[in-house]
C-alpha cells in the first residue's frame, strides 16, 4: 500500500512469499487519514470452513501505523477505531478469524462484540536500557550459577542456516509449522536481508552442537524467534549460556530482547529466570456463526492453537 511505511520484517512481502505458500496467505490493508492497518493471515480449511490464523511462528499479524507521531493518544485511538471497523467488514466473509496485535497496541473495545472475543496473552521483554550488570545480578540464582559454571568449555559462534535446518526438521514443534525452510534459507541468503537474521550455535569441547537460536531483528526489537536444545542436562546448561549471549548481542545491536512469549508453563518458567518485564497483549477470535463457535471451542483441534 502506498504510504504504508512499515519496517516490520514480519510484514515484508519477500518474507511472506518465501516462508509461506502464497496461495495460503490473505492480506488486508486499510488507510484512514494518514494511518494504516495491515493484517497478514494464513488460510486453512476444516470441514468446509475457511479459517484465517496468524502465520505460523509470527509473533503478531495485525499492525497499525500512525504516520503523524505528534498526534494525541485520543486521536490515535479514534483512528484505530475507524481502521478496525473497516478491518472487521473484511473478515466477516470467513468462518473463523484469529489475530494478535503487536504488543504496543491496546485498542480492544472498538473491535470486540458478540462475534469477536478477546483473550490476553503475554510476552517477556528485556529493555535495551537495562544495565547488563544489574540484569545479571537479578537472574534466578540457578541460571546465574549455570552461567558461571565452566566445567565444560562451550564456544558460541554464528552458524550456517543449513545446520539449524537439520535440527529443526527433527524438532516436533518446528517441524509441524507450515513454513518452507528451503525458501527461508533463500530469503536470508540475499545480502539486503542478512541484517535481520542471526543464527547462533553453542558447541561443546568435542565441537558437537548442543543448542541453537535464530534471532530476528524487527525494528528496534530482537526476537528469540527459534530456539532448539536437547533435553539432557548438558544441553540445558548450554542453552542458558546461549540465551544470555543472545541478550547481550541484542543490547550490542541497540535492541530490546523479546522472548516472544509462550502459553506453555515450562517455557514461561524458563524465560522468567532472566527477569524480563512481562507485557500483556490482546489476541482475538472472530466466529461468523454458531457452528464456527462450536468448532472454535474444540480445543483438541491443532489448527486453532
Amino acid at each position: 500500500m502506498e504510504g504504508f511505511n512499515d519496517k516490520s520484517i514480519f510484514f515484508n512481502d519477500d518474507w511472506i512469499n518465501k516462508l509461506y505458500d502464497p496461495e495460503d496467505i490473505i492480506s488486508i490493508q486499510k488507510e484512514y487519514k494518514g494511518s494504516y492497518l495491515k493484517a497478514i493471515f494464513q488460510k486453512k480449511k476444516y470441514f468446509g470452513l475457511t479459517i484465517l490464523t496468524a502465520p505460523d511462528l509470527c509473533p503478531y499479524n495485525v499492525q497499525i501505523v500512525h504516520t503523524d507521531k505528534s498526534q494525541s493518544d485520543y486521536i490515535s485511538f479514534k483512528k484505530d477505531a475507524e481502521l478496525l471497523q473497516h478491518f472487521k467488514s473484511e473478515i466477516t466473509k470467513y468462518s473463523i478469524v484469529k489475530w494478535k496485535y503487536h504488543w504496543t497496541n491496546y485498542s480492544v473495545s472498538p473491535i470486540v462484540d458478540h462475534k469477536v472475543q478477546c483473550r490476553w496473552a503475554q510476552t517477556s521483554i528485556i529493555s535495551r536500557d537495562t544495565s547488563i550488570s544489574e540484569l545479571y545480578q537479578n537472574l534466578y540464582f540457578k541460571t546465574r550459577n549455570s552461567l558461571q559454571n565452566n566445567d565444560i568449555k562451550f564456544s558460541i559462534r554464528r552458524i550456517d542456516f543449513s545446520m539449524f535446518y537439520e535440527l529443526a526438521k527433527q524438532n516436533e514443534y518446528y517441524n509441524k509449522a507450515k513454513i518452507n525452510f528451503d525458501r527461508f534459507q533463500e530469503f536470508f541468503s540475499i545480502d539486503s536481508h542478512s541484517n535481520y537474521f542471526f543464527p547462533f550455535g553453542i558447541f561443546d569441547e568435542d565441537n558437537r552442537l548442543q543448542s541453537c537460536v535464530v534471532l530476528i531483528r524487527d525494528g528496534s526489537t530482537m526476537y528469540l524467534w527459534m530456539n532448539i536444545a536437547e533435553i539432557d542436562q548438558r544441553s540445558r546448561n548450554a542453552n542458558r549460556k546461549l540465551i544470555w549471549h543472545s541478550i547481550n548481542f541484542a543490547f550490542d545491536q541497540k535492541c530490546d530482547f523479546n522472548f516472544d512469549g509462550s502459553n506453555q508453563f515450562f517455557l514461561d518458567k524458563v524465560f522468567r529466570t532472566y527477569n524480563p518485564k512481562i507485557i500483556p497483549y490482546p489476541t482475538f477470535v472472530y466466529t461468523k456463526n454458531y457452528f464456527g463457535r462450536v468448532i472454535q471451542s474444540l480445543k483438541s483441534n491443532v489448527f486453532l492453537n
Side-chain angles (χ1 to χ4, degrees):
M1 173 184 293
E2 183 179 356
F4 188 83
N5 184 26
D6 84 278
K7 298 180 180 179
S8 171
I9 183 65
F10 302 111
F11 288 83
N12 180 286
D13 289 337
D14 287 343
W15 167 279
I16 294 296
N17 292 330
K18 285 288 190 295
L19 262 68
Y20 310 102
D21 184 341
E23 294 184 357
D24 292 340
I25 295 298
I26 300 291
S27 176
I28 297 174
Q29 301 183 81
K30 296 295 177 181
E31 185 272 338
Y32 179 72
K33 294 185 177 180
S35 295
Y36 304 87
L37 178 149
K38 186 171 184 178
I40 300 292
F41 293 98
Q42 199 165 17
K43 181 172 61 175
K44 302 176 183 180
K45 290 284 189 178
Y46 189 79
F47 284 144
L49 300 180
T50 300
I51 315 293
L52 300 189
T53 67
D56 289 339
L57 306 184
C58 190
Y60 59 94
N61 66 314
V62 172
Q63 180 185 40
I64 295 177
V65 174
H66 298 290
T67 56
D68 184 359
K69 304 303 180 184
S70 64
Q71 68 188 18
S72 68
D73 288 343
Y74 178 67
I75 295 299
S76 295
F77 175 74
K78 286 184 64 177
K79 290 184 177 181
D80 284 359
E82 189 71 27
L83 288 167
L84 288 168
Q85 288 305 310
H86 290 306
F87 166 72
K88 184 187 287 188
S89 68
E90 290 286 335
I91 65 175
T92 55
K93 67 186 74 170
Y94 303 102
S95 302
I96 299 174
V97 183
K98 297 187 68 176
W99 69 96
K100 45 191 176 180
Y101 285 166
H102 186 274
W103 57 270
T104 57
N105 189 337
Y106 295 112
S107 293
V108 173
S109 58
I111 193 73
V112 171
D113 59 19
H114 67 287
K115 291 187 176 182
V116 178
Q117 295 182 328
C118 174
R119 184 175 69 176
W120 289 85
Q122 65 185 40
T123 189
S124 308
I125 296 177
I126 301 176
S127 170
R128 60 187 179 276
D129 297 327
T130 305
S131 162
I132 200 69
S133 59
E134 179 182 344
L135 179 63
Y136 183 80
Q137 292 303 316
N138 289 328
L139 295 175
Y140 179 56
F141 77 94
K142 287 186 177 180
T143 300
R144 190 169 58 248
N145 291 345
S146 180
L147 296 179
Q148 293 171 344
N149 188 330
N150 291 315
D151 291 344
I152 301 175
K153 301 297 183 183
F154 291 110
S155 60
I156 298 174
R157 59 179 182 267
R158 291 280 290 266
I159 60 174
D160 184 82
F161 181 77
S162 60
M163 187 177 294
F164 176 86
Y165 182 28
E166 290 303 315
L167 286 179
K169 287 192 297 185
Q170 302 170 36
N171 182 278
E172 181 180 359
Y173 177 74
Y174 292 120
N175 198 34
K176 72 178 182 180
K178 294 184 67 176
I179 283 185
N180 189 321
F181 279 106
D182 292 328
R183 295 177 68 185
F184 177 78
Q185 184 173 5
E186 178 186 338
F187 175 84
F188 284 108
S189 66
I190 302 173
D191 289 341
S192 61
H193 297 157
S194 60
N195 62 337
Y196 294 105
F197 168 72
F198 307 95
F200 290 100
I202 184 166
F203 299 81
D204 64 16
E205 294 163 316
D206 297 320
N207 204 36
R208 290 177 297 196
L209 182 62
Q210 294 294 321
S211 172
C212 58
V213 299
V214 175
L215 306 178
I216 297 290
R217 189 214 309 265
D218 182 46
S220 60
T221 300
M222 192 75 71
Y223 282 88
L224 181 65
W225 193 61
M226 291 184 175
N227 182 204
I228 299 178
E230 299 299 330
I231 61 174
D232 59 84
Q233 185 63 39
R234 174 180 292 203
S235 290
R236 285 201 297 269
N237 288 338
N239 198 54
R240 292 188 186 105
K241 293 177 181 288
L242 184 56
I243 291 178
W244 180 245
H245 170 86
S246 301
I247 294 170
N248 279 267
F249 177 79
F251 283 14
D252 289 342
Q253 299 292 313
K254 311 299 183 188
C255 290
D256 298 329
F257 187 82
N258 192 325
F259 287 92
D260 197 17
S262 178
N263 290 327
Q264 297 183 30
F265 172 69
F266 171 74
L267 287 178
D268 189 30
K269 186 170 68 171
V270 170
F271 297 160
R272 287 180 184 242
T273 66
Y274 294 88
N275 198 34
K277 183 177 182 180
I278 307 303
I279 305 291
Y281 66 91
T283 67
F284 301 87
V285 179
Y286 163 82
T287 49
K288 187 172 185 177
N289 50 38
Y290 176 77
F291 183 53
R293 287 191 287 276
V294 170
I295 295 297
Q296 166 61 20
S297 69
L298 299 177
K299 297 180 180 180
S300 59
N301 290 311
V302 175
F303 74 92
L304 290 177
N305 294 331

